Amino acid sequence: MILTITLNPALDVTYRVDEIVLHGSHRVRSVHERAGGKGVNVSRVLHQLGHATTATGLLGGVIGEQVRADLDAAGLDSAFVSIAGTTRRTVAVADPDDVTIFNEPGPTVTAAERDGLADRLGQLGRRATCVVMSGSLPVGLGPETYAELCAMLKTLPRALPQTQPPSPAGPSPDLTDQSVRSHPALLVDTSGPALIAAAEAGADLLTPNAAELADATGIHDPYAAARHLRELGAGAVVVTRGPDGMLAVTPDGVWSARLDERLVGNPTGAGDAATAALALGQASASRGVDWHQSLREAVAWSAAAVPVAHAGELDLATLDRLRPLVTVTKET
Amino acid sequence: MILTITLNPALDVTYRVDEIVLHGSHRVRSVHERAGGKGVNVSRVLHQLGHATTATGLLGGVIGEQVRADLDAAGLDSAFVSIAGTTRRTVAVADPDDVTIFNEPGPTVTAAERDGLADRLGQLGRRATCVVMSGSLPVGLGPETYAELCAMLKTLPRALPQTQPPSPAGPSPDLTDQSVRSHPALLVDTSGPALIAAAEAGADLLTPNAAELADATGIHDPYAAARHLRELGAGAVVVTRGPDGMLAVTPDGVWSARLDERLVGNPTGAGDAATAALALGQASASRGVDWHQSLREAVAWSAAAVPVAHAGELDLATLDRLRPLVTVTKET
């Protein structure tokens, strides 16, 4: 089971209007609401492709109940911890040309609620093959949060070996040898000081985009910046570069992956789709990650998210068509 | 008890932002939520000034629950009928200069739900001295709705005479003679074809603003337009004209009322405050309305709503200060 952690989930609300006028009064033509947040989107994609996943994190108030109900309606397994504050909404006002977005600040999380989350992760983490920590942190949780969760998850006693999810394509690696990694693979998708702290805590995989990587490390060259995160303690770093594909600095060398076709659509969920594929690559790896395959899947899943209007869903025909077109190169 | 009917209430959400940028992404600094809708605001003002009031109408879904909870928290007596659809939100994005508003379309009301509302009004209406029908109609309820509710309320058997709320100032009129009006006073605050239909149904008082009156009747002169509504069947018409005060065409002649002081603030709730005062004037009148006093109160309440940020609340110091400054003139 792949466990995703979303500490600051949202109810994503989309308003369609005929035209947007600054300081005007608008008749909203349609209202669409959907549970959102980066970890939630990762779980949605994994669930769509038939992989076992559980979404956890923090939810509160009437909006939290709406998020929970939407996840239930989607058939997604979730185990969120309840908090006193109210989960945030994002409101995207879509006119025929573009989108104007309003992000609510979200709840303030207390120390007791944070401890409740750690307890929940202590239970769920033992059954997970990979734990994905994704997205921004709510008020009350500092940039050390993901690092501390990584440290905690590394010390968990493992549950009995389980049937692992199948590799996304091709034969599964040998699953009988659990000796290489004694804890669930820890994947952290974040930015800023939280990214540095996660590297120092020894996260197995970090997945910043190129701008986040440069911003957090102060190093402009993505290869050098990724190597720096590995020196700090990270197992591997995959840098997503939008339509320019990905590069990976790993214990098995440096890789790049790309797709020469440009897709038109909504790139919002592409990063989360890539994270989902990379999490699956980590979860399937008992004696090291098959980077060639993992990066191929990550680029294909990412591209297959673009034709779909909402984050957290892939266009399966696009996925099948693009998978063989991805070029993966081992650079060093 | 003054009964207010809000068929299309809302959860009014206010977002504060530092600056609004078309097609930008905004960090919302604060979120304020409050039960809204014109009838709800009328009840809020009456409740604030110590007058017995019950708010009814239609509420549904998770937003409906939020509205109910907010009314309960305010100590307001409410008896809304539950519907399957979800109550709408209005989102007002306030930047330092002005406000940009997004109004959700709201639920579609079924014929069965409409019948449920009529049943509820049959119970509540018997105990009411005045029934206020206020605001827009949800999808599924045609412009004849208020007229049909008026017709139904006129045929209700009256409950035993009750202690009526005190007149807003000065001695109460004689309350022992209930002979003049055999039904609760019917006040309709609406626009368009619904306004015409309410006049034809014999509503006791209509309270359009000048633009609504001209729009519904096609008659530009407000005196002539108000007389036209009386000819159609309305008991009286009070036309609100913002800072220019009010005029009233009544069975007791034509009146005007105004205040020579200009107030700075938020005029959103001023109309509902005027409606609340006029409803009280109707409710207190056993043998005809004291128009001089009723119009003085309506202008003063309306002005006292302007200094308050939210609709449904008066600034009591402003009310006391302005009440003696209102000029009421009997024109004919």
Side-chain angles (χ1 to χ4, degrees):
Chain A
M1 176 269 283
I2 295 177
L3 180 67
T4 65
I5 304 175
T6 313
L7 297 180
N8 204 13
L11 185 71
D12 291 332
V13 182
T14 304
Y15 285 168
R16 298 218 163 265
V17 297
D18 295 338
E19 184 191 3
I20 186 165
V21 180
L22 224 56
H23 300 149
S25 185
H26 302 81
R27 188 183 293 260
V28 173
R29 295 296 172 185
S30 71
V31 180
H32 183 273
E33 295 182 334
R34 187 180 162 102
K38 290 173 73 71
V40 166
N41 292 338
V42 170
S43 274
R44 279 189 190 277
V45 169
L46 289 167
H47 179 69
Q48 185 194 3
L49 273 74
H51 301 289
T53 182
T54 298
T56 187
L58 303 169
L59 283 178
V62 66
I63 313 291
E65 284 311 306
Q66 283 185 274
V67 168
R68 231 183 274 264
D70 188 59
L71 295 177
D72 288 350
L76 215 70
D77 185 45
S78 69
F80 280 80
V81 173
S82 292
I83 59 172
T86 297
T87 294
R88 69 200 171 107
R89 279 170 298 210
T90 70
V91 175
V93 180
D95 63 65
D97 294 328
D98 204 345
V99 175
T100 306
I101 294 172
F102 302 95
N103 293 308
E104 293 187 4
T108 297
V109 175
T110 66
E113 289 165 345
R114 174 212 172 102
D115 292 347
L117 174 79
D119 287 349
R120 181 70 57 94
L121 292 180
Q123 300 152 21
L124 295 168
R126 294 185 61 194
R127 297 190 289 114
T129 50
C130 178
V131 178
V132 178
M133 302 170 216
S134 222
S136 64
L137 293 160
V139 176
L141 296 186
E144 73 289 352
T145 303
Y146 286 139
E148 290 178 1
L149 294 178
C150 284
M152 187 272 286
L153 288 162
K154 283 190 164 192
T155 64
L156 278 187
R158 298 294 286 151
L160 292 175
Q162 301 180 359
T163 307
Q164 302 215 358
S167 164
S172 296
D174 177 4
L175 299 183
T176 55
D177 180 358
Q178 296 271 341
S179 62
V180 171
R181 195 182 275 141
S182 62
H183 58 82
L186 303 174
L187 191 164
V188 182
D189 180 14
T190 190
S191 58
L195 177 64
I196 301 295
E200 289 169 345
D204 296 291
L205 177 59
L206 302 174
T207 58
N209 65 38
E212 289 166 345
L213 179 63
D215 187 56
T217 61
I219 302 169
H220 190 72
D221 174 59
Y223 292 91
R227 276 197 304 271
H228 176 67
L229 290 182
R230 290 237 316 133
E231 285 158 15
L232 290 179
V237 181
V238 171
V239 186
T240 56
R241 300 192 287 182
D244 294 330
M246 298 175 193
L247 68 89
V249 178
T250 82
D252 301 327
V254 175
W255 304 73
S256 66
R258 61 180 292 133
L259 180 69
D260 284 327
E261 183 168 320
R262 289 288 171 272
L263 289 152
V264 177
N266 167 28
T268 312
D272 295 333
T275 300
L278 293 167
L280 198 61
Q282 294 281 320
S284 314
S286 60
R287 284 180 302 197
V289 175
D290 180 342
W291 286 104
H292 194 281
Q293 167 156 318
S294 194
L295 289 169
R296 173 186 303 283
E297 293 297 313
V299 170
W301 290 31
S302 177
V306 174
V308 182
H310 299 291
E313 194 177 330
L314 304 188
D315 184 85
L316 297 181
T318 302
L319 179 62
D320 286 343
R321 185 172 66 77
L322 296 182
R323 192 182 267 128
L325 304 181
V326 177
T327 312
V328 182
T329 309
K330 184 162 194 210
E331 301 196 350
T332 59
Chain B
M1 176 270 283
I2 295 177
L3 180 66
T4 65
I5 304 175
T6 312
L7 298 179
N8 203 13
L11 185 71
D12 291 333
V13 183
T14 305
Y15 285 168
R16 298 217 163 265
V17 298
D18 295 337
E19 184 190 2
I20 186 164
V21 180
L22 220 57
H23 300 149
S25 184
H26 302 80
R27 188 183 294 258
V28 174
R29 294 297 172 183
S30 71
V31 181
H32 183 274
E33 295 182 334
R34 188 180 163 103
K38 290 173 74 68
V40 167
N41 291 338
V42 170
S43 275
R44 279 188 190 277
V45 169
L46 289 168
H47 178 69
Q48 184 194 3
L49 272 73
H51 301 289
T53 182
T54 298
T56 186
L58 304 168
L59 282 178
V62 66
I63 311 292
E65 284 309 307
Q66 283 185 274
V67 168
R68 231 182 275 264
D70 188 57
L71 295 177
D72 288 350
L76 216 68
D77 186 44
S78 70
F80 279 80
V81 173
S82 292
I83 59 172
T86 296
T87 295
R88 71 201 170 106
R89 280 170 298 211
T90 70
V91 176
V93 181
D95 63 64
D97 294 329
D98 204 345
V99 175
T100 305
I101 294 172
F102 302 96
N103 293 308
E104 293 187 3
T108 297
V109 175
T110 66
E113 289 165 345
R114 174 212 172 103
D115 292 346
L117 174 78
D119 288 348
R120 181 69 58 94
L121 292 180
Q123 299 152 22
L124 295 169
R126 294 186 62 195
R127 297 191 289 114
T129 49
C130 178
V131 178
V132 178
M133 302 170 216
S134 221
S136 65
L137 294 159
V139 177
L141 295 186
E144 73 290 353
T145 302
Y146 286 138
E148 290 178 0
L149 293 179
C150 284
M152 187 273 286
L153 288 163
K154 283 191 165 192
T155 65
L156 278 187
R158 299 293 286 149
L160 291 176
Q162 300 181 1
T163 307
Q164 302 214 1
S167 164
S172 296
D174 177 6
L175 299 182
T176 55
D177 180 359
Q178 296 270 340
S179 61
V180 171
R181 196 182 274 142
S182 63
H183 58 81
L186 303 174
L187 191 164
V188 183
D189 180 14
T190 189
S191 58
L195 178 64
I196 302 295
E200 290 169 345
D204 295 291
L205 177 58
L206 302 174
T207 58
N209 65 38
E212 289 166 343
L213 179 63
D215 188 55
T217 60
I219 302 170
H220 190 71
D221 174 58
Y223 292 90
R227 277 197 303 271
H228 176 66
L229 291 183
R230 290 233 321 129
E231 285 158 15
L232 290 179
V237 180
V238 170
V239 187
T240 55
R241 300 192 287 180
D244 294 329
M246 299 175 192
L247 67 90
V249 178
T250 82
D252 301 326
V254 175
W255 303 72
S256 67
R258 61 180 291 134
L259 180 70
D260 283 328
E261 182 169 320
R262 290 287 171 274
L263 289 153
V264 177
N266 168 28
T268 312
D272 296 333
T275 300
L278 293 167
L280 197 61
Q282 295 281 319
S284 313
S286 60
R287 285 181 300 197
V289 175
D290 180 343
W291 285 105
H292 194 281
Q293 167 155 317
S294 194
L295 289 168
R296 173 186 304 283
E297 292 298 311
V299 170
W301 290 31
S302 176
V306 174
V308 183
H310 300 292
E313 194 176 332
L314 305 188
D315 184 84
L316 297 182
T318 301
L319 178 61
D320 286 342
R321 185 173 66 77
L322 296 181
R323 193 181 269 129
L325 303 181
V326 177
T327 312
V328 182
T329 310
K330 184 162 192 206
E331 302 195 350
T332 60

